[in-house]
Amino acid sequence: MSGYWFRLRAPLAGVAALVAPFVAALALVPFRTDLSATDEALIMVVVVVAVAALGTRAAGALAAQAGTALDTAGLPHQV
């Protein structure tokens, strides 16, 4: 059974690298006025580290790039 998981680990990590930052950014939209930029960045870092820890280094790098793109292209912060 472990060989089956090992074969699926890289593709699943790649999908998680693209989906997890998007879901995290979408979940943070209602709280953007209440959270500081630092808090949002830390939440995104936790998501990226989780993907990298469960998947591969490439998935971690892809999640970091996806998270950065989603956060910088998202809604503006209120000051």
Side-chain angles (χ1 to χ4, degrees), residues 39-66:
D39 293 337
E40 291 181 26
L42 286 173
I43 291 169
M44 294 302 282
V45 165
V46 168
V47 171
V48 169
V49 169
V51 169
L54 296 175
T56 61
R57 281 188 224 149
L62 184 61
Q65 290 174 352

Side-chain angles (χ1 to χ4, degrees), residues 4-30:
Y4 181 72
W5 164 248
F6 188 73
R7 284 194 310 260
L8 287 180
R9 183 175 156 195
L12 287 177
V15 170
L18 293 175
V19 172
F22 178 74
V23 170
L26 192 61
L28 290 175
V29 168

